[in-house]
Amino acid sequence: MRIVLVGPPGAGKGTQATRLAEKLSIPHISTGDLFRANISRQTELGKLAKSYMDAGNLVPDEVTIAMAKDRMEQPDAEAGFLLDGFPRNVSQAEALDRLLETEGITLDAVLDLEAPEAEVVKRIAGRRVCRKDSSHVFHVSYSKPAEEGVCDVCGGELYQRDDDSEETVRTRLEVYHTQTEPIIDYYKAQGLVVTIGAMGPVDEVTGRALEALKQDQ
């Protein structure tokens, strides 16, 4: 299957993308991983992207699209892929359509993870990360440490990252609404959108998504 995964920040896209890709035996292709891989390998695209990033500028769509194209042409993506974080806007969606058309393939579904905005803010703004080991993550409501402000695993100080503040989260949501959300209507016009609720236990959301994709075939 060839799937695009969309949803607001905090909807659990990263978690669900990893789980769904594993269940469907297709590679999970995320924008973040593409940038990190190309920059670490010092590919021409990676060097180009880094030059924009070092200057504090956004990486142009054509660079992101070229990275995605290169990744989708790898052998492990022949039977399908799950795109996470790409396309990020309508112009990228149109470019993806043109790219797939030249390869004679089409998307099977656009999976839209829905979550109430208030819950998204609560999920992200409530996160607390360990200063000693950032893989140790807690939540003020859903996964409280035994002692407030102290990591259960290593005793490190728990803190709120700057990009997890409520103000920053609301800014990220506004960017999502203005730039990314329009691709849902774009793909609805093609009959590709499958919407599922992103609330509830992780396993339930994964099951919901797999069932919705099965029914969409």
Side-chain angles (χ1 to χ4, degrees):
M1 291 191 80
R2 296 176 178 88
I3 304 166
V4 167
L5 185 65
V6 297
K13 288 194 305 299
T15 300
Q16 292 304 325
T18 301
R19 293 168 67 89
L20 290 168
E22 183 179 344
K23 296 281 188 183
L24 297 167
S25 300
I26 54 178
H28 167 206
I29 302 175
S30 79
T31 308
D33 289 345
L34 287 177
F35 278 92
R36 283 188 288 273
N38 278 274
I39 290 171
S40 67
R41 297 202 316 266
Q42 296 190 334
T43 66
E44 290 305 311
L45 288 171
K47 292 175 185 175
L48 186 57
K50 192 172 186 300
S51 69
Y52 284 101
M53 294 162 72
D54 288 347
N57 298 319
L58 291 173
V59 178
D61 282 354
E62 54 266 29
V63 177
T64 305
I65 292 161
M67 285 185 183
K69 177 178 184 295
D70 178 68
R71 181 64 185 87
M72 288 187 290
E73 289 175 345
Q74 299 304 310
D76 67 336
E78 285 183 7
F81 48 75
L82 188 151
L83 296 176
D84 168 21
F86 175 82
R88 196 175 291 274
N89 53 49
V90 172
S91 64
Q92 288 186 359
E94 292 171 340
L96 176 61
D97 277 353
R98 291 192 294 271
L99 173 61
L100 296 178
E101 188 177 354
T102 62
E103 300 296 321
I105 57 180
T106 59
L107 290 174
D108 293 297
V110 174
L111 188 59
D112 173 27
L113 295 180
E114 275 194 341
E117 189 158 313
E119 178 60 26
V120 164
V121 174
K122 184 178 179 181
R123 278 186 180 184
I124 300 178
R127 281 196 299 225
R128 297 295 183 267
V129 181
C130 178
R131 287 195 188 277
K132 284 186 179 180
D133 188 334
S134 60
S135 70
H136 303 161
V137 181
F138 296 82
H139 195 281
V140 297
S141 299
Y142 306 131
S143 181
K144 296 180 181 180
E147 182 181 346
E148 186 176 349
V150 179
C151 176
D152 287 354
V153 183
C154 66
E157 178 196 355
L158 298 180
Y159 76 106
Q160 183 187 53
R161 297 184 309 184
D162 290 342
D163 59 352
D164 284 348
S165 71
E166 182 170 339
E167 182 181 358
T168 303
V169 174
R170 292 195 182 280
T171 299
R172 290 167 61 193
L173 282 168
E174 183 59 33
V175 171
Y176 172 77
H177 291 318
T178 57
Q179 294 185 14
T180 305
E181 204 168 46
I183 74 173
I184 296 174
D185 285 335
Y186 173 81
Y187 283 124
K188 275 183 178 177
Q190 299 179 34
L192 289 171
V193 176
V194 179
T195 302
I196 69 156
M199 303 301 297
V202 171
D203 286 344
E204 284 186 16
V205 177
T206 304
R208 219 176 285 154
L210 290 170
E211 189 61 31
L213 290 170
K214 189 191 306 178
Q215 290 179 358
D216 190 59
Q217 287 183 297

